[in-house]
């Protein structure tokens, strides 16, 4: 017997319809590429998303055709999130930090038909447009009178002229909730990138889950600043959860430096922010010497790479801001776990609580996770045993766009497919997961694994260290030994010996790195993560002391 409830597809258009009706006057504030601050409301956004949908109809774009963006976080990008997907097309957010050759490859692979880009990325578009035959319309996300001249890009139109010519009357179509809504290519450190193809159903369910109190805890009372880019995994789904909750949204545009972000937080009374650790590193680096404090910021989600405990501590103790450590990936829409305490933890000491809060956290309802050994058998949740982390759920990839890479899933005894994350982790008895490494970064010394994240976190707790990356170096006896590459904070000093002494008592003796290498910068990839492959290349002539 089937249930007798109404069967209404979960569609992205329903999110913006809801926001318009119930939170029509809630504000969306954006710093624009032009440098000024733009303000409007969800009501304005919804009307302009409908104009965009009409513009796409006029171009005779078919259902599921791809519309691409090369854009910062801002209101026009947000309109595309809803206008493109809501009208049944697929939004392809391209990461502008990738190499132009990779961008051209991705545009061709996705068969994008329209490309909308911020003026910042004009040189990039000029470099690739001739190599992108599928794109039939190039749109600059700017005012009609700001359209750059003599660009060499055929038929270049300004976004404002394009959608301005359209009516804001448009009835969002109804279709299968499993239809594709947006796509994002993985960073592809080895080989060509592969695309996760999200659906209306997966995105809407993820938006619901993300807003939950033990997840991102978003509400109509928040003023939310997503620093995490809209060009990578849909800014962790915040644009969708924002429409669902009606929170005020604040977009940083291209100004991602610590000073600009801090000023925006203060000016727009931001209560909630989200970003990768490097962004917050820059912001705290700006605030500390100037003795600045937050007036309204209360919570920040930090993820994308391991958040150093020293950062969680600094936010909490120095600035009264609660850090929510999050873990996820492109293939997971992206949220998998968030770290919040349980009721029984409230009576613990601050130090004990901090030990929990530095983990990557508990699974969200909708994400099943397990760790397995080399034989594929599940390992215990004891907080000590580590293994390959596998996940399954309705917002996790089943396969990649165009079947690239074959079937990525691993089947269990019941035939259910699990996605191997490529991360190595422990899970404790309370279900708190902690990443020890990417599987390809694991350091094996004398048959035992050393967590590079643990080694990095200790270095980052030293006041003179701004950034640390731990890699394994070949060793004739131990197979590999860890070394730590560090960047010093400006105006500080620390010697190799002092830093190695700093490890004493903080980790087992055999896990202490064999050496410290001082570098000017750690290579960072297109999604803000450390590029250890590149670091290893840079250190290819390095020899461990005594060898
Ligand atoms: P991406 O698909 O580019 O977003 O990268 C996903 C990967 O980033 C994950 O598989 C992890 O290796 C890493 N990652 C994301 N969040 C965290 C975190 N909180 N701690 C450690 N690693 C993380």
């Amino acid at each position: 017997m089937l249930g007798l409830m109404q069967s209404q597809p979960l569609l992205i258009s329903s999110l913006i319809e809801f926001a318009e009706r119930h939170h029509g006057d809630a504000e969306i504030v954006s710093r624009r590429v032009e440098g000024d601050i733009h303000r409007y409301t969800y009501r304005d956004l919804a009307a302009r998303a409908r104009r965009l949908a009409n513009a796409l109809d006029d171009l005779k774009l078919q259902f599921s055709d791809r519309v691409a963006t090369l854009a910062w976080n801002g209101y026009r990008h947000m309109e595309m999130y809803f206008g493109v997907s809501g009208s049944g097309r697929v939004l392809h957010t391209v990461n502008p930090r990738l190499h132009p050759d990779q961008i051209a490859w991705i545009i061709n692979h996705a068969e994008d038909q329209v490309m909308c880009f911020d003026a910042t990325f004009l040189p990039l578009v000029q470099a690739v447009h001739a190599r992108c035959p599928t794109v039939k319309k190039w749109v600059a996300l700017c005012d009609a009178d700001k359209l750059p001249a003599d660009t060499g890009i055929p038929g270049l139109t300004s976004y404002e002229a394009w959608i301005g010519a359209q009516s804001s009357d448009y009835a969002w179509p109804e279709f299968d909730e499993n239809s594709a809504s947006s796509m994002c290519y993985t960073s592809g450190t080895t080989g060509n990138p592969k695309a996760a193809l999200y659906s209306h159903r997966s995105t809407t369910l993820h938006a619901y889950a993300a807003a939950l109190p033990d997840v991102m805890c978003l509400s109509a009372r928040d003023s939310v600043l997503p620093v995490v880019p809209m060009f990578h995994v849909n800014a962790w789904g915040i644009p969708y959860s924002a429409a669902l909750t009606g929170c005020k949204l604040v977009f940083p545009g291209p100004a991602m430096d610590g000073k600009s972000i801090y000023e925006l937080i203060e000016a727009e009374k931001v209560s909630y922010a989200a970003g990768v650790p490097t962004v917050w590193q820059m912001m705290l680096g700006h605030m500390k010497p100037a003795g600045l404090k937050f007036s309204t910021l209360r919570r920040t989600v930090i993820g994308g790479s391991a958040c150093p405990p020293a950062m969680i501590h600094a936010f909490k103790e120095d600035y009264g801001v609660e850090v929510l450590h999050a873990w996820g990936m492109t293939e997971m829409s992206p949220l998998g776990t968030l770290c919040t305490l349980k009721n029984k933890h409230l009576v613990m000491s601050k130090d004990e609580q901090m030990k929990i809060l530095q983990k990557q956290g508990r699974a969200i309802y909708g994400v099943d996770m397990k760790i397995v050994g080399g034989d594929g058998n599940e390992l215990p949740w004891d907080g000590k045993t580590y293994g390959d982390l596998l996940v399954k759920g309705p917002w996790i990839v089943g396969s990649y766009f165009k079947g690239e890479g074959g079937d990525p899933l691993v089947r269990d005894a019941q035939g259910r497919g699990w996605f191997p994350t490529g991360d190595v982790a422990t899970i404790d008895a309370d279900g708190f997961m902690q990443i020890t490494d990417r599987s390809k970064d694991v350091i094996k010394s004398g048959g035992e694994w050393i967590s590079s994240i643990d080694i990095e976190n200790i270095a980052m707790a030293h006041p003179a260290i701004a950034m640390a990356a731990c890699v394994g170096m070949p060793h004739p006896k131990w197979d590999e030994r860890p070394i730590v590459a560090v960047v010093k904070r400006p105006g500080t000093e620390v010697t190799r010996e002092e830093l190695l002494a700093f490890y004493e008592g903080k980790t087992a003796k055999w896990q202490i790195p064999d050496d410290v290498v001082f570098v000017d910068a750690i290579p960072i990839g297109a999604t803000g993560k450390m590029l250890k492959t590149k670091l290893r290349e840079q250190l290819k002539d390095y020899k461990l002391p005594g060898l």
Side-chain angles (χ1 to χ4, degrees):
M1 183 162 60
L2 292 177
L4 293 175
M5 296 297 110
Q6 294 179 14
S7 157
Q8 191 178 310
L10 297 172
L11 298 178
I12 287 173
S13 54
S14 68
L15 294 172
I16 194 62
E17 278 186 318
F18 178 84
E20 183 179 23
R21 181 171 291 241
H22 297 276
H23 302 283
D25 63 354
E27 256 193 315
I28 298 172
V29 180
S30 314
R31 194 195 293 277
R32 304 205 297 175
V33 172
E34 294 88 327
D36 60 343
I37 297 283
H38 173 274
R39 295 174 184 277
Y40 74 175
T41 63
Y42 281 99
R43 191 173 295 124
D44 301 320
L45 184 141
R48 283 165 56 89
R50 291 195 294 269
R51 285 181 195 275
L52 171 61
N54 277 322
L56 298 173
D57 281 4
D58 252 18
L59 273 185
K60 305 273 179 292
L61 249 57
Q62 301 299 303
F63 191 70
S64 293
D65 277 350
R66 269 76 70 201
V67 176
T69 60
L70 272 167
W72 300 109
N73 291 9
Y75 64 104
R76 290 181 180 126
H77 207 173
M78 176 98 169
E79 289 162 14
M80 298 199 64
Y81 267 53
F82 293 97
V84 172
S85 306
S87 67
R89 283 81 186 206
V90 176
L91 180 76
H92 174 202
T93 51
V94 182
N95 185 338
R97 296 198 179 118
L98 294 172
H99 188 277
D101 290 347
Q102 221 169 10
I103 290 181
W105 187 91
I106 282 175
I107 292 173
N108 282 309
H109 190 261
E111 299 166 53
D112 294 330
Q113 303 227 11
V114 181
M115 166 56 83
C116 302
F117 60 95
D118 272 330
T120 324
F121 306 119
L122 177 63
L124 190 52
V125 172
Q126 284 173 312
V128 300
H129 78 92
R131 285 184 268 165
C132 303
T134 61
V135 178
K136 57 184 185 198
K137 188 156 188 75
W138 299 90
V139 179
L141 292 164
C142 65
D143 292 338
D145 60 353
K146 297 269 166 40
L147 185 69
D150 306 324
T151 59
I153 302 165
L156 182 66
T157 314
S158 92
Y159 179 79
E160 293 302 329
W162 187 41
I163 69 159
Q166 299 291 337
S167 159
S168 61
D169 284 340
Y170 181 85
W172 297 111
E174 229 180 67
F175 43 80
D176 184 342
E177 64 183 16
N178 289 300
S179 308
S181 58
S182 66
M183 65 198 302
C184 181
Y185 280 75
T186 58
S187 337
T189 41
T190 49
N192 280 325
K194 299 190 279 289
L197 187 62
Y198 311 113
S199 71
H200 284 261
R201 175 183 155 81
S202 70
T203 305
T204 319
L205 289 174
H206 183 271
Y208 264 119
L212 285 169
D214 269 359
V215 187
M216 297 229 254
C217 190
L218 293 174
S219 85
R221 292 164 297 291
D222 278 314
S223 169
V224 177
L225 175 81
V227 185
V228 48
M230 290 168 80
F231 57 70
H232 185 60
V233 216
N234 303 324
W236 298 348
I238 290 175
Y240 305 114
S241 296
L244 180 147
T245 55
C247 61
K248 173 177 171 180
L249 265 177
V250 183
F251 287 127
M256 307 283 269
D257 60 290
K259 180 171 183 287
S260 305
I261 297 285
Y262 172 76
E263 286 172 1
L264 201 57
I265 289 176
E266 287 301 295
E268 297 303 327
K269 299 190 168 36
V270 167
S271 59
Y272 191 99
V276 296
T278 38
V279 162
W280 303 130
Q281 189 96 32
M282 284 192 289
M283 193 180 65
L284 296 182
H286 164 71
M287 292 174 67
K288 201 165 181 188
L292 299 169
K293 296 280 173 202
F294 294 116
S295 343
T296 53
L297 190 71
R298 292 292 164 261
R299 278 168 299 146
T300 174
V301 185
I302 304 186
S305 39
C307 178
M311 184 177 284
I312 303 180
H313 193 265
F315 262 115
K316 179 98 187 138
E317 300 307 321
D318 303 345
Y319 300 101
V321 176
E322 184 191 346
V323 168
L324 302 164
H325 193 189
W327 166 84
M329 57 194 311
T330 308
E331 287 89 338
M332 300 176 69
S333 301
L335 294 179
T337 64
L338 255 100
C339 201
T340 55
L341 298 177
K342 293 183 171 180
N343 179 275
K344 67 176 181 183
H345 298 136
L346 299 181
V347 293
M348 286 180 163
S349 70
K350 266 192 178 172
D351 283 353
E352 282 174 314
Q353 289 181 349
M354 191 55 82
K355 275 194 197 128
I356 299 172
L357 290 172
Q358 66 196 43
K359 298 189 175 195
Q360 276 71 10
R362 296 185 275 130
I364 305 165
Y365 169 76
V367 175
D368 274 346
M369 63 180 185
K370 64 177 178 182
I371 44 171
V372 299
D375 54 6
N377 287 331
E378 188 164 356
L379 297 169
W381 289 22
D382 59 12
K384 293 195 296 282
T385 314
Y386 39 80
D388 294 316
L389 181 62
L390 270 55
V391 288
K392 68 178 180 64
W395 57 78
I396 294 164
V397 288
S399 55
Y400 289 100
F401 182 52
K402 294 186 172 172
E404 218 73 31
D407 180 2
L409 305 187
V410 176
R411 308 281 151 190
D412 63 16
Q414 285 85 43
R416 294 173 307 188
W418 291 77
F419 178 76
T421 63
D423 287 324
V424 176
T426 61
I427 305 178
D428 69 20
D430 287 322
F432 286 81
M433 184 273 286
Q434 182 160 30
I435 304 271
T436 54
D437 262 307
R438 280 302 280 168
S439 53
K440 58 184 186 312
D441 293 334
V442 156
I443 300 167
K444 215 158 186 199
S445 175
E448 296 285 343
W449 284 6
I450 297 176
S451 161
S452 64
I453 294 180
D454 281 352
I455 302 301
E456 288 154 11
N457 282 344
I458 295 174
M460 300 275 285
H462 191 285
I465 301 300
M467 216 171 160
C470 173
V471 288
M473 285 290 159
H475 190 282
K477 180 168 176 200
W478 302 111
D479 252 351
E480 277 188 315
R481 286 297 301 152
I483 63 160
V484 65
V486 294
V487 181
K488 277 189 278 194
R489 276 184 205 285
T492 60
E493 267 318 318
V494 61
T495 63
R496 170 188 184 275
E497 286 64 34
E498 281 162 354
L499 193 59
L500 291 179
F502 187 70
Y503 277 89
E504 308 261 340
K506 297 188 176 73
T507 187
K509 256 200 155 39
W510 62 273
Q511 297 188 340
I512 296 179
D514 277 15
D515 200 6
V516 176
V517 180
F518 291 95
V519 291
D520 293 336
I522 308 274
I524 300 283
T527 56
K529 295 179 217 300
M530 291 193 283
L531 272 186
K532 291 205 180 168
T533 37
K534 198 139 187 206
L535 179 65
R536 284 193 204 97
E537 255 170 52
Q538 287 173 4
L539 296 173
K540 66 180 182 325
D541 297 327
Y542 171 88
K543 289 239 165 349
L544 283 166
L547 290 187

